[in-house]
Amino acid sequence: MSGHSITFTHALCRAPSRSVTAGLRAEDRGAPDADLFAREHAAYVAALRRTGAEVTVLEPQEAFPDSVFIEDPALCLAGVAILLRPEAPTRRGEVAALRPDLSRLFPEIRDLGGPGCVDGGDILCSDTEVMVGLSARTDAAGVAALRPIVEDLGYRMRVVETPAEILHFKTESSLLDPETILASPRLAATGCFSGYRVIETASGEEGAANAIRFNAPVFLSDGFPRTAERLDRVGYEIRQLPMSQAALLDGGLSCLSLRYSLRLKP
Ligand code: CIR
């Protein structure tokens, strides 16, 4: 096992805006509390920093309530930042707002271009492969525009379907190590992870699948004790973080950062 795809030197986050209370949500379970969101976000940033990574936190953007979910407007791959194209009209402007920061941090920037759409939340990367889930936010035209970029950077691309009830492909899946994926039973049942070892979340704990392996630990959201125990039993170092406010906006651990290494693909 190379360990490469789980070793990150950097992460990029964006502080939540006060306008986060107006963020998109499929089902209204109440608006998040902006102060509590900020505290949970700060705990997340601190936890990433404790792994030794350099974490940059960008200024909040009031014009974009969902901009704290910085994973969606870009993909960082092999030392290149790829600017994507969110489907949600209220999120389109996040791309232009992020460009100057990515230009400062990355030696190379590429653009997806229109008219297709891709959200970073639908992209799961291993050492060799980029899996993209078609979803309400990522369409075939977007995938067609992404493919040549990904292949030019030396990765295979696998395109799969995300079941309609799941917002983003990674809402219910994450890479635990280069060969292992954590996924909800309903996503795993589609067969899309063939070739990987799949660990399923415990019953009723589908949200645990939006985990991140960031250097040594696997971070899980609070409130998924049986999945945490399942992972602990097979040897993963588990850290749990409060995600109550992001969850009200259908977000989770992966959405809150762009994780990358400035080493090029070996
Ligand atoms: C949205 O609907 O776009 C946000 N409220 C949540 C985005 C979550 N992002 C992700 O799963 N990558």
Side-chain angles (χ1 to χ4, degrees):
M1 180 187 302
S2 73
H4 175 76
S5 62
I6 54 166
T7 308
F8 297 99
T9 56
H10 294 75
L12 183 63
C13 299
R14 182 177 297 288
S17 55
R18 305 298 300 175
S19 63
V20 73
T21 51
L24 296 172
R25 60 206 90 163
E27 184 194 331
D28 199 351
R29 287 170 285 137
D33 177 287
D35 293 322
L36 183 53
F37 204 127
R39 286 201 295 279
E40 293 187 349
H41 191 266
Y44 174 88
V45 169
L48 296 190
R49 283 194 174 131
R50 278 195 293 274
T51 72
E54 186 177 327
V55 183
T56 304
V57 182
L58 302 176
E59 290 298 309
Q61 282 185 322
E62 295 304 331
F64 302 112
D66 284 295
S67 56
V68 67
F69 302 116
I70 194 169
E71 172 179 68
D72 292 319
L75 170 67
C76 301
L77 196 63
V80 176
I82 304 160
L83 288 164
L84 302 173
R85 189 158 187 273
E87 184 274 342
T90 58
R91 303 203 59 187
R92 285 270 163 86
E94 290 178 31
V95 176
L98 188 56
R99 180 185 294 275
D101 298 296
L102 291 177
S103 301
R104 184 167 44 81
L105 295 167
F106 282 80
E108 187 180 348
I109 301 282
R110 300 205 193 173
D111 283 280
L112 183 75
C117 298
V118 178
D119 265 6
D122 284 315
I123 305 175
L124 189 152
C125 300
S126 77
D127 273 349
T128 51
E129 185 169 60
V130 173
M131 295 185 71
V132 186
L134 292 164
S135 74
R137 300 289 181 86
T138 293
D139 59 21
V143 167
L146 185 62
R147 182 183 289 281
I149 302 176
V150 160
E151 291 180 348
D152 183 49
L153 293 174
Y155 291 79
R156 282 194 312 275
M157 192 155 121
R158 182 190 305 210
V159 183
V160 299
E161 295 282 342
T162 310
E165 60 276 23
I166 303 175
L167 175 66
H168 283 123
F169 184 60
K170 273 191 308 195
T171 305
E172 295 194 6
S173 66
S174 47
L175 192 79
L176 295 180
D177 63 47
E179 292 94 27
T180 311
I181 283 173
L182 174 68
S184 65
R186 63 180 169 185
L187 188 51
T190 66
C192 65
F193 300 117
S194 60
Y196 291 88
R197 173 171 79 131
V198 178
I199 299 178
E200 293 189 0
T201 53
S203 161
E205 295 193 355
E206 291 74 16
N210 183 264
I212 49 170
R213 176 76 187 265
F214 190 79
N215 300 328
V218 173
F219 293 100
L220 283 190
S221 299
D222 270 349
F224 301 118
R226 285 171 303 125
T227 304
E229 194 197 314
R230 195 173 275 190
L231 295 176
D232 179 67
R233 263 205 314 270
V234 292
Y236 293 101
E237 178 190 335
I238 302 302
R239 307 238 176 105
Q240 296 180 66
L241 288 170
M243 274 295 126
S244 65
Q245 303 308 289
L248 289 172
L249 299 181
D250 310 321
L253 291 157
S254 79
C255 329
L256 295 180
S257 59
L258 284 165
R259 301 160 297 280
Y260 60 99
S261 174
L262 285 179
R263 272 190 312 274
L264 294 183
K265 185 172 183 280

